[in-house]
Amino acid sequence: MTSAARIAILGAGNIGKIHAAHAAREAQLCAFVDPAPQGAEVAHAYNVPHYPTLSDLFAAGRPDGVVVATPNQLHVAHGLECVAAGVAALIEKPLADDVAQGVRLVQAAQRADVPLLVGHHRRYNPMIASAKAAIESGRLGRIVALNAMCWLYKPDAYFDVKWRTQPGAGPVLINLIHDIDLMRHLCGEISTVQAISANHARGHAVEDTAVVLLGFANGALGTMSVSDSIAAPWSWELTAGENAAYPRSGAACYTIGGTSGALSLPDLGLWSYSDAPNWMTPIAREAMMNGQGDPLAIQMRHFADVSLRRAAPLVSGDEGLATLRVLMAIKRAAETGQPVTLSSQA
């Protein structure tokens, strides 16, 4: 145990259980909150109290922090309960399923001086730190373009959980949001988007596939595609090895290109010329060094410090809101067929 922060988990689904395991190691897991019988079962397994609601938890005694791992549509309501109780919250991504509600939560937390940390855990991955250092050192030169793929196949049973088939879900908000956040983190702010989406593979009320064009404020351009209905190896889940539940494919899913070199991720392959760039001369690949560490464990360690007011959130409510704005712009562009400029995005 590296911190005495008392952390409660709200939501006993898959991600809630993962957070609980990390909280038990990196802090002090103090309670589970979930109205379903599963919540009581998980609490019993960890020998911690179980509460049906946040109000029940707070009535019994406030923890230092709460991980909000409930369905997307409930993030704001639960985040606001934490803010009202003066308890730091780690809000699983997305911060909200609506920009206006996300703004409401962030502003409420700022007024109350309650820390919000948004669960974009990939930023804590040591390989992302290595990639960001390479880009910021100028080894790629000026970033010109990037491509990110998130192609995976979710089994039909995944959608037995009803909220995953309804507005507020879908692979853009559930999966692509991570990729968008990393591209913002690595390559800069996104100023314009164009998109097209489809739901013909599964027929749910939300998309199963989307293709996106991005314009960055620094002039770089990007292409991204996401689908939860393609049998393929090209997604962060299947390439990065972050979660042992996903078999690692050994492929790459991101490429970032600049005037001096190009980088593939998560394999950290840096391609460059020994002399001036020239397509008629050999280009060589360097395997960059990569540190070790589970990003979810690192995030929990950081959240423990945030909960005790020892550190400021690395992925703040404002950062989560900025990524959400891009996602909502993508959804709007797909619905209207028109480009969306972020400065005009409500």
Side-chain angles (χ1 to χ4, degrees), residues 3-17:
S3 171
R6 299 175 65 255
I7 304 298
I9 309 295
L10 171 60
N14 290 338
I15 190 62
K17 292 175 184 176

Side-chain angles (χ1 to χ4, degrees), residues 117-136:
L117 184 67
V118 184
H120 291 294
H121 69 275
R122 294 181 189 174
R123 292 201 194 190
Y124 299 87
N125 195 312
M127 72 179 70
I128 294 301
S130 297
K132 189 169 180 64
I135 292 169
E136 291 184 343

Side-chain angles (χ1 to χ4, degrees), residues 18-266:
I18 292 171
H19 282 304
H22 290 300
R25 288 191 293 266
E26 306 296 339
Q28 180 185 348
L29 177 64
C30 68
F32 248 96
V33 182
D34 195 310
Q38 183 181 15
E41 294 168 6
V42 178
H44 178 74
Y46 280 99
N47 194 29
V48 298
H50 166 254
Y51 300 96
T53 68
L54 277 177
S55 59
D56 293 324
L57 169 70
F58 296 146
R62 293 187 305 173
D64 298 305
V66 171
V67 177
V68 177
T70 49
N72 297 349
Q73 299 91 330
L74 300 177
H75 286 180
V76 170
H78 289 147
L80 287 171
E81 283 192 70
C82 293
V83 168
V87 175
L90 166 54
I91 311 288
E92 257 303 331
K93 58 76 196 167
L95 175 70
D97 62 352
D98 173 85
V99 170
Q101 290 302 304
V103 170
R104 179 186 173 205
L105 174 56
V106 170
Q107 290 182 345
Q110 290 172 344
R111 286 194 300 268
D113 194 27
V114 173
L116 288 183
L117 184 67
V118 184
H120 291 294
H121 69 275
R122 294 181 189 174
R123 292 201 194 190
Y124 299 87
N125 195 312
M127 72 179 70
I128 294 301
S130 297
K132 189 169 180 64
I135 292 169
E136 291 184 343
S137 71
R139 297 198 65 186
L140 273 63
R142 179 176 179 177
I143 301 301
V144 176
L146 61 91
N147 179 63
M149 296 177 67
C150 181
W151 291 7
L152 41 77
Y153 195 94
K154 296 177 181 176
D156 292 344
Y158 174 88
F159 299 99
D160 290 343
V161 179
K162 190 64 176 176
W163 73 267
R164 292 171 174 165
T165 69
Q166 302 301 312
V172 169
L173 276 172
I174 291 176
N175 302 105
L176 192 70
I177 189 168
H178 279 306
D179 306 298
I180 287 287
D181 188 69
L182 280 189
M183 292 305 106
R184 284 187 56 244
H185 180 59
L186 293 173
C187 300
E189 294 301 332
I190 295 165
S191 56
T192 61
V193 304
Q194 299 180 56
I196 186 170
S197 65
N199 68 346
H200 62 268
R202 296 194 182 271
H204 294 154
V206 290
E207 81 287 337
D208 51 59
T209 306
V211 176
V212 183
L213 297 178
L214 304 172
F216 288 76
N218 59 17
L221 301 177
T223 57
M224 307 186 81
S225 55
V226 61
S227 178
D228 60 18
S229 305
I230 298 177
W234 302 295
S235 66
W236 188 263
E237 287 82 356
L238 297 182
T239 62
E242 281 186 350
N243 187 338
Y246 301 110
R248 196 168 186 176
S249 68
C253 61
Y254 298 161
T255 47
I256 301 171
T259 53
S260 299
L263 179 66
S264 58
L265 287 167

